Amino acid sequence: MSNTTHEETLGFQTEVKQLLNLMIHSLYSNREIFLRELISNAADACDKLRYAALDNDGLYEGDSELRVEIEHDAEAGTVTLRDNGIGMTRDDVIANLGTIARSGTSEFLKQLSGEQQKDAKLIGQFGVGFYSSFIVADDVTVRTRKAGEDASAGVEWRSKGEGEFTVADIDLEQHGTEITLHLKDDAKEFADDFRLQNLVRKYSDHIEVPVRMPKTETAKDDEGNPVEGSEVTTWEIVNEATALWVRPKSDISDDEYKAFYKHVAHDFSDPLTWSHNKVEGKLEYTSLLFVPGRAPFDMFDRDGARGVKLYVQRVFIMDDAEQFLPLYLRFIKGVLDTRDLSLNVSRELLQQDPKVDKIKGALTKRALDMLKKLAKDSEQYQTFWNTFGSVLKEGPGEDAANREKIAGLLRFASTHTDTVAQEHSLADYVARMKEGQQKIYYVVADSFNAAKHSPHLEIFRKKGIEVLLLSDRIDEWLMSHLTEFDGKSFADVGKGELDLGDVEDEAEKKEQEETAKAKESLVKRVKEALGEGVQDVKVTHRLTDSPACVVLPEHEMGYQMRRIMEAAGQPLPKVRPILELNPSHSLVARLESADEGLFADLAHILLDQAIIAEGGHLDDPAAYVKRLNGVLAA
């Protein structure tokens, strides 16, 4: 290797400086994972070279035995890891080792608090990769050359993990990447043969690329004494070096599955569950799918990286092949290895291949079955739901074919317990339905407390009828795509006519009709006073404690969805609600006896209060306050 040329010193991207500082201090207790991360990156580089060489085997440069090698020097306090994979150009080095090219990075870093235990989990959620080197090293040198380039195209990158790094051109005979870690004083334990071998077997045994370490053997004389000068060093493969997903399930331990998940997902925590399947017949493929124990930081970025690792006949094709799972299952991680696609397949070709749709349909059902099985453990499933439930709620609108399956996996808060926990399934609700009840009732509001205290629930609480309490932003959209479950239709208690089915007896219905008839003149006066502010005015029996409530027509967009659409810049026509009055309430009695001057103000106050209770916004809050003050001062 000749002297370095074209050397320049550059500053780290701001986010990298923050991440390095937090990682060095927050991940101290997890520091041994640096080796797993570096081996995973090296194995990916080997996979990428194998794929690129399908079109140009000259990229191997006569060395097609892909491998990862680890050496250490206890005296110098260094650990060196090299691979003969795809390598990097100078631009690649600056882009990959000086920046974090992931959308949402700044938002992610804002969540970091400096509290070590909490930040360690968040950083693991982000995926640390190469930067984990600085957990154990105070000086890191990377030497690399892109496969197929001249020896003079080598690059050396050096940094102490502080504010800057240095990049220089060098001559490098071997393509691939070599990383040398100059260990911190308190990390010299890693410059040990036994320690490194244990870490490889613990974290990277499942890597298909062989991980090798030097082994020195010395000849011995007849008396068993070592013969001086007879040392012979060979390379010993330390890991299993077999693709885990092609091994029989009976031969794979839970710990091996968990370790493989951490490699695939670059996550610190264990998965909640997994599903390993081999399919033969018209389609031949092996899939290994995992449900993570926690969400990635960019889960709600629908354009972010997602999908499974795709292999064709055990040849790596691409990371994040999103064509094989629907968007609402974007949290699923794993591997798909198939014989039914060509080795030169691209993302564009995947979108046109009918075999992809068939595999996608099968993997989707496999993933949903995996969740159904997980749901048998209520505690584990609750962990899953609290993390990924809002994403799964996208399913009924996106996947009509599996709508019933997804509906069975949904969980809701309910008046059955009146707690904020979303822990009740639709099957639980149906099993608890009252005799004569024909519908599954729900209420939508901006918050749990608003839903729990909605005036629309009053008659349901009186009758002991359970109502689902929906307060997530996606809930109204979700319910617009759920038409029925187990033969029972859904009914929004805040829309349309109130229908309690056979729960109400004939005597109650007759009494309601008589009351409505007796209050016809009041209803007419209120309707005239409110004018265009309402679509209609009625006497209701759905209230027991509140004086009035607003009801939207059955197919009208709800207040929650209207606000979401308006916030997105979507113009919407003004909503005209139906005002329903509680004839037995004292305020309605006062309204009925009020003179003309006070009547209009009281009618508007009741309407405005009902809109507020429903979670709506007043067009003219000042007018409401003025009327209320006038009534209070009278």
Side-chain angles (χ1 to χ4, degrees), residues 571-600:
L572 296 171
K574 183 179 178 182
V575 63
R576 293 174 63 216
I578 299 166
L579 178 66
E580 296 196 357
L581 301 172
N582 178 0
S584 60
H585 197 280
S586 57
L587 275 180
V588 175
R590 184 182 177 192
L591 173 69
E592 194 169 11
S593 61
D595 59 37
E596 288 303 318
L598 187 59
F599 185 88

Side-chain angles (χ1 to χ4, degrees), residues 86-90 92-93 96-97 142 144-146 155 176-177:
I86 193 72
M88 292 182 281
T89 63
R90 185 186 184 97
D92 291 338
V93 168
N96 295 335
L97 306 187
V142 179
T144 184
R145 176 171 68 80
K146 188 78 174 267
V155 183
T177 302

Side-chain angles (χ1 to χ4, degrees), residues 356-413:
V356 171
D357 289 334
K358 291 179 181 177
I359 296 175
K360 178 180 180 179
L363 287 189
T364 300
K365 284 185 170 62
R366 186 74 63 187
L368 294 175
D369 287 343
M370 177 170 56
L371 294 178
K372 185 177 179 181
K373 185 177 178 182
L374 180 66
K376 293 177 181 177
D377 183 335
S378 57
E379 187 174 334
Q380 281 280 76
Y381 192 76
Q382 196 62 44
T383 300
F384 160 78
W385 181 260
N386 292 343
T387 308
F388 301 110
S390 54
V391 177
L392 193 62
K393 285 179 178 181
E394 297 171 12
E398 295 177 2
D399 188 358
N402 290 299
R403 190 171 289 161
E404 189 75 12
K405 276 191 172 185
I406 301 166
L409 296 169
L410 300 177
R411 297 293 183 268
F412 302 93

Side-chain angles (χ1 to χ4, degrees), residues 156-176:
E156 181 178 89
W157 181 98
R158 302 188 307 277
S159 179
K160 295 184 180 296
E162 294 167 352
E164 57 191 28
F165 58 92
T166 302
V167 183
D169 295 337
I170 59 172
D171 287 346
L172 202 59
E173 291 299 320
Q174 174 67 47
H175 67 267

Side-chain angles (χ1 to χ4, degrees), residues 378-509:
S378 57
E379 187 174 334
Q380 281 280 76
Y381 192 76
Q382 196 62 44
T383 300
F384 160 78
W385 181 260
N386 292 343
T387 308
F388 301 110
S390 54
V391 177
L392 193 62
K393 285 179 178 181
E394 297 171 12
E398 295 177 2
D399 188 358
N402 290 299
R403 190 171 289 161
E404 189 75 12
K405 276 191 172 185
I406 301 166
L409 296 169
L410 300 177
R411 297 293 183 268
F412 302 93
S414 164
T415 55
H416 181 68
T417 51
D418 266 347
T419 60
V420 71
Q422 296 180 13
E423 58 189 3
H424 303 281
S425 69
L426 293 175
D428 293 336
Y429 181 102
V430 170
R432 294 192 293 258
M433 283 174 65
K434 291 184 72 68
E435 187 178 347
Q437 184 181 342
Q438 302 298 324
K439 297 182 178 180
I440 299 172
Y441 296 103
Y442 67 92
V443 63
V444 181
D446 276 347
S447 67
F448 170 74
N449 280 330
K452 179 181 175 180
H453 298 114
S454 170
H456 292 291
L457 299 184
E458 292 175 10
I459 186 64
F460 293 91
R461 292 191 186 279
K462 179 181 178 182
K463 296 283 187 181
I465 300 173
E466 183 176 355
V467 179
L468 301 177
L469 306 174
L470 311 186
S471 55
D472 287 348
R473 285 171 61 83
I474 194 174
D475 280 339
E476 188 172 346
W477 182 85
L478 162 70
M479 299 313 292
S480 70
H481 292 91
L482 280 180
T483 53
E484 65 172 33
F485 179 80
D486 195 17
K488 309 292 184 183
S489 61
F490 290 89
D492 184 342
V493 301
K495 291 182 182 179
E497 293 287 341
L498 178 63
D499 178 13
L500 298 180
D502 295 336
V503 176
E504 288 184 312
D505 58 35
E506 288 301 318
E508 286 179 303
K509 291 177 182 177

Side-chain angles (χ1 to χ4, degrees), residues 557-578:
M557 187 183 295
Y559 286 109
Q560 185 197 53
M561 182 61 74
R562 289 182 68 87
R563 274 193 294 281
I564 293 172
M565 299 291 283
E566 287 166 352
Q570 183 75 32
L572 296 171
K574 183 179 178 182
V575 63
R576 293 174 63 216
I578 299 166

Side-chain angles (χ1 to χ4, degrees), residues 33 237 355 416:
I33 58 90
I237 295 176
K355 293 175 184 174
H416 181 68

